[in-house]
Amino acid sequence: MTAKPPNAGRPGTGGTGGSGVPREVLPDAWQPLLSQPPLAGMLVQPLVADALLEMHRILSPRLALHSLRTFLLADARARAGGTHYDRTGLFVAAAFHDAGLTGHAPPAPGGFPCRSAALLDRFLTRHGVDEGRRRVLNRAVREHMRPFPARGVAPEARLLHFGAWLDVTGRGTRKVPGERRRLARLAPTPLFAVSFSARVAVCGLRGVLPVPPAPAR
């Protein structure tokens, strides 16, 4: 039996309308990742475009690149395994999965993943995404720091977990050989694992990190 390929997003995506975000308004460092086929074809989708603009507004440059690589690694895993999943939803979840590390996140019990999920839920609700889809994506973000995904979770949760852990720790490299290294060459963040661990440690003590300065190209 031939497995279904990943889809390009479900109907009823929501969003504010328009024809996507102009590539030139986003940072130069993002461009090699935005040019990758799984992302390049999604930039016209309103939900994706608005998520990119939110990333640019609230995430530090290194966290933003990590989020883009997380999605691309997750998508590579889905393609390798023939996993059918909500590609648009997974991208938005990846965009927000570490947003709880910033001062933009609302208070929420459970550490920064829960703050990230709360920020994601606000975004999805504002864009008219239905409750069932929001629940799946919020859980994926809320649980992405677990050592392993919970049994029976949706593919979006498994894929987000895979992509985030692979990018930071290298765990799962054999599932998508060479992909982590390739993406790191396209959009490098040297010593990211060390700096990310420090951010998480600080966040555990102080609740959130300072709001990053206004992004520049």
Side-chain angles (χ1 to χ4, degrees), residues 22-176:
R23 288 268 296 274
E24 61 269 19
V25 308
L26 299 174
D28 291 340
W30 296 15
Q31 300 304 323
L33 299 181
L34 296 178
S35 298
Q36 299 302 296
L39 261 178
M42 298 171 63
L43 301 183
V44 297
Q45 298 181 30
L47 198 61
V48 171
D50 288 354
L52 285 165
L53 292 174
E54 282 295 284
M55 287 175 61
H56 189 31
R57 183 176 72 87
I58 69 177
L59 296 184
S60 69
R62 291 166 69 85
L63 278 179
L65 290 176
H66 163 62
S67 297
L68 293 172
R69 292 193 308 254
T70 290
F71 168 74
L72 290 168
L73 290 168
D75 181 78
R77 178 71 184 98
R79 290 175 178 275
T83 302
H84 185 74
Y85 77 101
D86 175 3
R87 183 180 292 163
T88 300
L90 180 64
F91 175 79
V92 177
F96 281 90
H97 81 284
D98 283 337
L101 287 167
T102 77
H104 294 280
F112 88 84
C114 292
R115 292 194 296 271
S116 299
L119 200 58
L120 170 64
D121 194 59
R122 285 186 181 184
F123 176 85
L124 295 174
T125 299
R126 190 165 69 244
H127 286 73
V129 175
D130 66 83
E131 182 179 358
R133 192 179 183 197
R134 293 202 323 268
R135 188 183 307 114
V136 168
L137 300 177
N138 291 340
R139 182 178 183 184
V141 169
R142 195 168 57 246
E143 298 184 359
H144 81 272
M145 287 293 289
R146 291 171 55 109
F148 297 96
R151 291 184 179 181
V153 294
E156 292 78 20
R158 296 197 310 273
L159 292 169
L160 180 67
H161 187 280
F162 175 87
W165 279 76
L166 174 55
D167 189 55
V168 175
T169 72
R171 191 173 79 183
T173 298
R174 288 181 295 179
K175 302 288 186 181
V176 284

